[in-house]
Amino acid sequence: MNKDTKYTDLRPLWKKALFGSYLILPLKYDDTPNKAYIGQTFKPFVLRTQDIGENVKDLINRQGSGNIGQAYRISGSVLEKELLGSTYERLTVRKDQHEGVFSFLDSYLYVFHTKVAFLCVGIRYRDLTTLYNICNPGYTKFRSVFLGHRADRIAKHFSLERALGAFAEKCGLSNFFDDNSPAIVEAYVYTLALLPGRFPNIEVMRQATFNLHLMEDLNHPAEDESEHDLRYVYAVKDQELGSYSWGCCVSSQTISYVNGDPSMNLKQAMTVQARDGLPIVMIALYEKFTCLRFTELLRKSGERDKQKLEALKKMMLEFKAYGTVDPSNLSRWHNVKHIYGSLLSVNETANAIQDIDNKLKILAEQQQDAEQQKSDTVFGIISVFGVVSIVDSMLAIVQSLSGGQTLDYVTVGGTLASLAVVIAITLRKLKGK
């Protein structure tokens, strides 16, 4: 192959592709997650990637001040049992005339302190139509049928959507969006196509990752002029081999990789993606969904619940202080920083964080106005009582003076003179200010 090789010339290569995806489901919680169940079902996952800096990994790995959340891992077989009640010989999804086989891979749970979480469900499958039928992109109603096949050839229907919802509930979590749209439809899809050869030029990788983004067969180049929120990132060209090892396409709903690796070990390749690529996506999505969550919590708290408002304000100030990561600080590798920056760009995260700033300012102004109103009310009450007290005192003075005692005249005169001096000094200071 050479740099002039066309996409359609590589159809023998595309036919050998192996596919895997992480379906990243956005979740949320109100009080605290079910740590007991999570601890029993998952294992802690420590970020060990060399693609991001130690200071960024410590945001999750190190507990205490500055920690933004925890990461966990669950094996594919345990996940299948937790979701479906048992394990099956094979799982299929059927829609129209297509029936595709899929299976669960190791999956991951990220729980952040800003009351958001993400369940990253790992799956492997044989063709992109299977992924399309699982995700149902662009639609809110499923026509796909999910089946679990036992060794005795008996097939059992199940709802993947309900299974994922029940599993999230056991973890003390719930779907992020409350509009009854399926969580799978709202999932961010991280897809890998593993191929046995490298790529001759950028155009080939660009087309392949675009097909992955659309979940269209790699053998036929897809076209769509309406796609504007796409960013492409590639590996550095190996000058000796004259080819590239990977490329990816980033959008607001997907990230799609093509990776050339002669070993063709999909399980291992997905483990590498979970180690190196998935944490980058998690940090970017955490920032986006934290902003959405803050807006929701602010709306639910009400303006008069001072305690909740103060807790929200503290949470968001901490998020802004050390919970956000600038692309320049993420990694020493330019293409890794480019991927992360692209994720922030297509999701307009900077605008969302600026919106948080605006909401915090409005919140502070509302609290200041509320405090001023309370102060004015208190001073008004004090003033009323002060006037009453003055009237009462004047009546007492008049009554005392009517007795004609010399000592009373001296006392009253001295008191009035002292008050006059205090008032004069106070007025002079106010005038000076």
Side-chain angles (χ1 to χ4, degrees):
M1 292 188 295
N2 56 60
K3 64 179 182 179
D4 297 322
T5 302
K6 296 180 180 179
Y7 184 82
T8 52
D9 295 336
L10 298 177
R11 279 179 177 158
L13 179 67
W14 307 133
K15 290 179 180 180
K16 298 177 182 178
L18 301 178
F19 300 102
S21 292
Y22 291 110
L23 310 180
I24 304 173
L25 279 64
L27 304 169
K28 63 184 178 182
Y29 61 94
D30 290 321
D31 298 321
T32 58
N34 188 343
K35 295 182 179 179
Y37 178 77
I38 292 174
Q40 293 172 359
T41 311
F42 293 81
K43 296 183 182 298
F45 179 68
V46 179
L47 273 60
R48 302 187 188 280
T49 177
Q50 299 301 310
D51 284 357
I52 58 179
E54 293 298 323
N55 59 324
V56 178
K57 288 187 286 188
D58 283 346
L59 293 175
I60 293 176
N61 289 343
R62 182 177 296 177
Q63 300 302 305
S65 178
N67 174 265
I68 64 172
Q70 289 80 41
Y72 306 90
R73 181 183 64 83
I74 183 173
S75 69
S77 59
V78 172
L79 178 64
E80 182 177 341
K81 188 173 182 180
E82 291 295 323
L83 288 176
L84 308 180
S86 62
T87 56
Y88 291 88
E89 188 174 72
R90 63 190 178 95
L91 303 173
T92 61
V93 56
R94 181 189 302 160
K95 183 180 178 183
D96 300 329
Q97 303 301 316
H98 182 274
E99 183 169 12
V101 177
F102 71 96
S103 60
F104 293 107
L105 296 170
D106 287 358
S107 301
Y108 301 85
L109 176 67
Y110 283 76
V111 180
F112 295 99
H113 299 324
T114 51
K115 299 186 181 298
V116 299
F118 300 93
L119 178 62
C120 311
V121 180
I123 59 171
R124 65 185 301 167
Y125 46 93
R126 296 176 180 175
D127 58 77
L128 288 167
T129 303
T130 299
L131 177 64
Y132 188 94
N133 291 341
I134 291 174
C135 296
N136 201 44
Y139 301 93
T140 57
K141 292 185 178 180
F142 275 100
R143 290 192 295 115
S144 300
V145 177
F146 292 90
L147 298 166
H149 301 265
R150 301 191 327 208
D152 57 8
R153 296 187 178 182
I154 294 178
K156 179 181 179 181
H157 288 76
F158 67 88
S159 168
L160 183 60
E161 173 68 21
R162 285 198 292 270
L164 289 169
F167 181 62
E169 188 175 350
K170 291 179 185 177
C171 297
L173 308 169
S174 61
N175 290 348
F176 190 88
F177 298 100
D178 297 325
D179 56 2
N180 296 321
S181 63
I184 281 272
V185 172
E186 304 294 348
Y188 190 89
V189 184
Y190 185 126
T191 298
L192 170 69
L194 187 63
L195 297 130
R198 295 169 64 90
F199 310 103
N201 54 59
I202 286 177
E203 289 73 20
V204 163
M205 290 186 292
R206 187 184 185 96
Q207 181 64 65
T209 55
F210 182 68
N211 270 52
L212 287 178
H213 158 68
L214 294 178
M215 304 178 194
E216 293 287 342
D217 187 357
L218 288 181
N219 292 292
H220 307 285
E223 296 180 3
D224 190 343
E225 297 296 329
S226 67
E227 295 278 0
H228 299 294
D229 67 333
L230 304 181
R231 307 287 188 276
Y232 294 92
V233 186
Y234 313 102
V236 175
K237 184 177 182 178
D238 187 307
Q239 296 300 317
E240 184 176 348
L241 297 175
S243 59
Y244 301 84
S245 60
W246 63 265
C248 77
C249 171
V250 179
S251 80
S252 58
Q253 290 295 319
T254 66
I255 183 167
S256 309
Y257 282 87
V258 289
N259 188 15
D261 184 355
S263 69
M264 292 297 284
N265 187 332
L266 181 66
K267 185 175 181 180
Q268 180 180 342
M270 289 294 286
T271 299
V272 171
Q273 293 295 325
R275 182 194 68 196
D276 296 337
L278 194 58
I280 297 169
V281 177
M282 286 296 94
I283 294 171
L285 293 182
Y286 147 75
E287 294 181 22
K288 171 189 174 180
F289 279 89
T290 290
C291 295
L292 294 173
R293 184 69 167 131
F294 172 71
T295 301
E296 179 187 28
L297 292 172
L298 183 61
R299 175 178 55 81
K300 288 183 177 180
S301 68
E303 295 182 5
R304 297 184 179 181
D305 195 331
K306 183 178 178 181
Q307 187 174 3
K308 285 185 177 181
L309 288 176
E310 286 296 333
L312 278 177
K313 187 175 179 180
K314 181 176 182 292
M315 179 185 79
M316 295 313 300
L317 288 174
E318 290 178 349
F319 165 70
K320 284 183 59 61
Y322 52 78
T324 58
V325 180
D326 188 83
S328 62
N329 298 325
L330 181 82
S331 173
R332 57 182 173 172
W333 306 111
H334 176 73
N335 47 19
V336 173
K337 289 188 286 188
H338 192 183
I339 291 171
Y340 176 68
S342 298
L343 287 164
L344 298 182
S345 174
V346 296
N347 285 289
E348 300 186 37
T349 305
N351 291 339
I353 293 175
Q354 181 59 49
D355 187 51
I356 291 298
D357 269 341
N358 297 336
K359 286 181 170 64
L360 286 173
K361 289 176 182 177
I362 294 172
L363 181 60
E365 290 173 359
Q366 287 177 337
Q367 288 179 327
Q368 187 176 2
D369 290 343
E371 292 297 328
Q372 186 63 45
Q373 289 177 2
K374 288 181 181 179
S375 297
D376 291 344
T377 302
V378 171
F379 281 121
I381 294 172
I382 292 174
S383 298
V384 171
F385 279 105
V387 170
V388 172
S389 177
I390 290 171
V391 172
D392 183 65
S393 298
M394 291 300 295
L395 290 173
I397 290 171
V398 171
Q399 185 178 6
S400 177
L401 292 176
S402 65
Q405 298 290 330
T406 303
L407 182 61
D408 293 336
Y409 283 101
V410 173
T411 302
V412 170
T415 302
L416 291 174
S418 300
L419 287 172
V421 171
V422 171
I423 291 171
I425 293 172
T426 303
L427 290 173
R428 187 173 182 177
K429 288 184 177 180
L430 289 173
K431 187 177 181 180
K433 290 181 179 179

